[in-house]
Amino acid sequence: EAARAQVASLIGVPAEDLLFTSGATESDNLAVLGLARGRADFGRHLVTSRTEHKAVLDACKRLVKEGHAVTWLEPEADGRIAPDALRAALRADTQLVSIMHANNETGVVQDVAALAAVCRERDVFFHTDAAQSAGKIPTHFLQDGIDLASVSAHKMYGPKGIGALYVAPRVRPWLL
C-alpha cells in the first residue's frame, strides 16, 4: 500500500484507483483491449496515432481483427497530435482514444490534458501510455482528465516486471 501511494502521488491520482501489473505493456493491453471489448456493445471505434508504442499498436491491430475500427492519426510536423485533428476523428461509436504522453523514440511530449478535454466533450475515454514520462515530467492525470494511464517501474529505476494502470472511477464498470 505504501508503494501504491507513492506511485499514485507521482502521477497525480488517488491511490485506490491504481492497479499493479507486470509492466506498461500489460497496462496498455488491459486499458486498450479491456475497454474496447468491455464497451463493444456501445461502439467499436478507437483512435490512436501512428507513433504509439508497439504495445498499443499491436492491441489496436488485434482489435481490428476482432471487428473494431481504428482511426490512425498522423502527427503534425512537430510530432504532436492536434486537438482539432482528434476532434475530427471522433465518431458517435468511438469508445477510446490512446495517445502516448512522451514518445520513447522522438521525445515529443503530447498535451494530454488538451486531448483528454476533447474526449470529455464527447464522453470518450482517454488512455495515455506514460511509461516514458512518469517520474521525469510532472504529471497530474486526475487534474488533466485522463481516464487511464500506464506506467512502468523500470523506466524510473525500479525493478523490471512491475507496472501500474490508473483507472478512473468512471471507467471501472467497463474494465474491471
Side-chain angles (χ1 to χ4, degrees):
E1 291 308 311
R4 184 183 315 278
Q6 289 173 336
V7 173
S9 175
L10 182 72
I11 63 173
V13 301
E16 62 269 15
D17 295 335
L18 201 65
L19 301 175
F20 284 111
T21 65
S22 66
T25 295
E26 183 181 11
S27 295
D28 287 343
N29 277 274
L30 180 57
V32 175
L33 296 171
L35 188 72
R37 290 171 177 160
R39 287 191 52 93
D41 290 346
F42 295 90
R44 294 177 155 266
H45 180 246
L46 294 86
V47 178
T48 192
S49 78
R50 296 229 180 251
T51 56
E52 292 303 302
H53 188 274
K54 185 176 180 350
V56 170
L57 295 175
D58 286 351
C60 288
K61 289 174 187 174
R62 176 73 225 160
L63 288 167
V64 168
K65 290 180 181 179
E66 295 176 12
H68 293 261
V70 177
T71 297
W72 307 91
L73 295 175
E74 296 288 342
E76 300 284 310
D78 64 359
R80 296 176 81 186
I81 300 298
D84 286 339
L86 174 57
R87 188 175 286 108
L90 297 178
R91 306 183 334 195
D93 63 337
T94 305
Q95 296 303 312
L96 178 68
V97 171
S98 183
I99 303 292
M100 184 186 303
H101 188 209
N103 189 287
N104 57 306
E105 294 179 3
T106 65
V108 170
V109 177
Q110 298 291 339
D111 185 352
V112 293
L115 298 173
V118 169
C119 291
R120 288 283 173 141
E121 291 170 7
R122 300 279 293 277
D123 200 28
V124 172
F125 295 119
F126 184 83
H127 167 252
T128 191
D129 180 333
Q132 297 296 330
S133 59
K136 299 172 188 81
I137 300 170
T139 56
H140 307 283
F141 291 142
L142 179 65
Q143 176 183 314
D144 291 344
I146 306 301
D147 295 301
L148 298 147
S150 304
V151 298
S152 180
H154 81 274
K155 298 292 184 172
M156 299 179 269
Y157 303 103
K160 287 190 175 195
I162 300 173
L165 177 64
Y166 161 65
V167 181
R170 80 185 199 116
V171 177
R172 219 173 284 144
W174 309 111
L175 190 63
L176 305 175

